[in-house]
Amino acid sequence: LHARLHSAGHLLDATMQEIRSGKYKATKGSHSSTMTFVEFLGVLDNQERDNLVVQLNDALQAKLESQDHQQVLMRMDPATTTRYITLGGLECACGGTHVKQIQEIGT
């Protein structure tokens, strides 16, 4: 469960960056089964928020159903020993647990 929730947070961030062209930066998140969220830096009015929720839901559903970029990739930077993952087209440094395929998030 934790790997699915953690990976979902990355997928949400990747999708937000795609939809809003990097306008909102993820600042923190939690991936526990009792409190799961990703917090973004920025201000939205109610209408913008409602529109964004619809856009995110549609885009996330399309990513979960798509056959493109399904594999979650991992690589290690040998110079810094930092582990990077690529999920949903976004690469980020992360040492957490992840699913192997994006479709596993929705199961």
Side-chain angles (χ1 to χ4, degrees), residues 63-77:
K63 285 180 183 290
L64 290 171
E65 293 173 357
S66 173
Q67 297 303 311
D68 297 333
H69 308 291
Q70 280 294 316
Q71 188 172 4
V72 178
L73 305 174
M74 291 183 222
R75 71 174 180 87
M76 183 74 73
D77 181 339

Side-chain angles (χ1 to χ4, degrees), residues 1-10 31 87 96-100 104-105:
L1 178 62
H2 184 267
R4 288 175 38 220
L5 295 172
H6 185 92
S7 298
H10 285 299
H31 312 297
L87 192 152
T97 57
H98 304 91
V99 297
K100 293 179 182 175
E104 294 174 49
I105 292 171

